[in-house]
């Protein structure tokens, strides 16, 4: 954001400082007709129409600078195949070193780009507040409608801010790769940082931030909220934080992955989710709650198991008793057999003895 602010400021300064004294209208093409507020070289074109308007394409290659309006200013500084167009009183459009950049500013504001394949459009539709948009990187798109500040740094980022008024305090920023920052309304702050993140503020004066990898944060029709989807940067992954129809809430989705925190029709609430799971309006599901629930189930199962194990030895004791009794009965049955055997043996002995005596 600091770089973008510096870029925007530097471009605005260069637009004013490099141009010659302005006349009402001037045209300079391919190095011919320099002066009166217009400057070109052998490959560029500069056109300025309006009192105090200036256009400077003297340091551009195959580039064009055009200004239309009182004190309008446009400049292409070391731009290659780039275009800077300022339309309206006090409009500023600037291109710093880069390739195939297009910058358009309509109304009293400033837009600037540095890098390659960037598109910046600023439209000031209010008499109040200030407007600025700065882009640095490759393949970024920035659209600022109404008062506010926009910065877009990195690659393939899309930043869109739209409103009909406000005091210019609205801020929309994006830094990293493949991020989306959307800020609709007259106030609010939106920031994305990292890779493939999105942050959206719709019709509310709230702060919405998303940073990490594949994270998202959003606010709809709520004021005074702080909605963040972020943890230890850049490790936050696949987290979501949102607020719908509520004011003065703090909603935070942390490390993740799949950490979801949300407030729906709530006021003055703090709702947080750091680990995988869901926390909406204070009701949680998944993650630690599921682990706790499973622990409770496991404890109950353990109690049932202990109860079963405690009962089982009793049954075993009973079985043992029964077995002992059976064994006892078996022994009892065997004893008569032994006695009869002994008796039989005695009889037999007796018989034998009786037979031997006569001899």
């Amino acid at each position: 954001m600091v770089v973008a602010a510096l870029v925007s400021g530097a471009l605005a300064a260069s637009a004013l400082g490099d141009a010659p004294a302005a006349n009402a209208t001037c045209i300079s093409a391919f190095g011919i007709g320099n002066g009166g507020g217009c400057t070109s070289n052998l490959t560029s074109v500069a056109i300025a129409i309006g009192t105090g308007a200036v256009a400077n394409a003297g340091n551009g290659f195959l580039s064009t600078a055009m200004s239309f309006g009182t004190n309008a200013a446009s400049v292409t500084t070391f731009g290659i195949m780039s275009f800077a167009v300022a339309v309206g009183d006090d409009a500023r459009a600037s291109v710093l070193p880069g390739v195939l950049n297009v910058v358009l500013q309509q109304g009293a504001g400033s837009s600037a780009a540095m890098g390659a394949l960037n598109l910046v459009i600023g439209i000031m539709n209010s008499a109040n507040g200030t407007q600025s948009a700065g882009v640095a990187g490759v393949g970024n798109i920035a659209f600022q409608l109404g008062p506010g500040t926009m910065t877009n740094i990195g690659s393939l980022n899309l930043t869109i801010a739209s409103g009909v008024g406000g005091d210019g305090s609205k801020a929309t920023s994006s830094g990293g790769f493949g991020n989306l920052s959307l800020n609709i309304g007259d106030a609010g702050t939106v920031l994305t940082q990292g890779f493939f993140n999105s942050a959206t503020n719709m019709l509310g004066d709230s702060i919405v931030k998303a940073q990490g990898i594949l994270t998202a944060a959003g606010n709809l029709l709520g004021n005074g909220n702080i909605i963040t989807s972020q943890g230890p940067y850049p490790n936050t992954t696949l987290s979501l934080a949102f607020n719908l129809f509520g004011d003065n809430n703090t909603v935070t989705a942390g490390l993740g992955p799949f950490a979801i925190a949300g407030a729906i029709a709530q006021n003055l609430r703090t709702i947080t989710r750091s680990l995988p799971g869901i926390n909406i309006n204070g009701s949680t599901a998944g993650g630690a709650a599921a682990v706790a629930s499973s622990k409770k189930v496991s404890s109950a199962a353990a109690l049932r198991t202990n109860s079963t194990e405690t009962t089982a030895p009793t049954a075993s004791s009973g079985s043992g008793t029964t077995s002992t009794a059976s064994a006892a009965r078996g022994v009892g049955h065997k004893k008569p057999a032994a006695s009869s055997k002994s008796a039989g043996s005695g009889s037999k002995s007796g018989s034998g003895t009786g037979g031997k005596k006569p001899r």
Side-chain angles (χ1 to χ4, degrees):
M1 290 187 292
V2 172
V3 172
L6 292 175
V7 168
S8 179
L11 290 173
S14 66
L16 293 176
D18 292 346
N23 293 327
T25 299
C26 62
I27 298 176
S28 177
F30 311 116
I32 302 172
N34 287 337
C38 295
T39 305
S40 68
N41 58 34
L42 292 177
T43 65
S44 63
V45 175
I47 300 172
I49 299 175
T51 304
V54 294
N56 185 359
N59 295 322
F61 179 75
L62 296 175
S63 297
T64 300
M66 294 187 293
S67 303
F68 305 97
T70 301
N71 297 323
S74 61
V75 60
T76 59
T77 303
F78 302 111
I80 300 174
M81 293 183 287
S82 298
F83 299 88
V85 181
V87 180
D89 296 346
D90 299 314
R92 302 281 190 275
S94 309
V95 173
L96 272 180
V99 180
L100 290 173
N101 292 303
V102 177
V103 177
L104 170 63
Q105 173 64 39
Q106 179 178 341
S110 64
S111 295
M114 178 175 67
L117 298 171
N118 296 304
L119 173 63
V120 184
I121 298 175
I123 300 175
M124 184 62 168
N125 58 356
S126 173
N128 299 321
T130 59
Q131 179 193 66
S132 65
V135 171
V138 178
N140 299 298
I141 297 175
F143 178 78
Q144 172 78 40
L145 172 62
T149 301
M150 175 176 289
T151 55
N152 187 330
I153 302 175
S155 298
L156 301 179
N157 297 312
L158 174 61
T159 51
I160 299 174
S162 177
V164 296
D167 58 3
S169 62
K170 181 171 69 174
T172 309
S173 304
S174 184
F177 183 86
N179 297 301
L180 169 64
S181 295
L182 183 62
N183 197 356
I184 306 301
D186 294 338
T189 299
V190 171
L191 167 66
T192 57
Q193 183 178 7
F195 303 91
F196 302 108
N197 303 301
S198 66
T200 302
N201 179 52
M202 300 287 289
L203 303 177
D205 186 1
S206 295
I207 298 173
V208 183
K209 300 179 181 180
Q211 68 178 32
I213 302 173
L214 291 170
T215 66
N219 174 71
L220 175 62
L221 292 174
N223 298 314
N225 301 295
I226 300 176
I227 314 299
T228 57
S229 181
Q230 62 183 34
Y233 180 78
N235 298 319
T236 305
T237 306
L238 293 169
S239 294
L240 169 64
F242 64 89
N243 175 79
L244 306 177
F245 316 112
D247 298 329
N248 301 309
N249 296 311
T250 299
V251 182
T252 304
L255 183 62
F258 301 111
I260 300 174
I264 302 175
Q266 301 292 304
N267 296 311
L268 297 170
R269 296 289 304 276
T270 297
I271 299 172
T272 303
R273 185 74 195 188
S274 296
L275 299 177
I278 301 173
N279 183 359
I280 297 178
N281 291 353
S283 299
T284 61
V291 171
S293 178
S294 64
K295 285 182 178 179
K296 291 180 181 179
V297 173
S298 299
S299 300
L303 290 174
R304 288 196 298 271
T305 302
N306 292 335
S307 176
T308 305
E309 289 176 353
T310 305
T311 308
T314 305
S316 299
S317 300
S319 301
T321 305
T322 306
S323 300
T324 304
S326 300
R329 284 194 296 272
V331 171
H333 288 303
K334 287 178 181 179
K335 282 183 178 179
S339 300
S340 60
K341 184 176 182 183
S342 300
S345 299
S347 303
K348 192 173 181 182
S349 302
S351 304
T353 306
K356 288 179 181 179
K357 283 183 178 180
R359 296 179 183 178

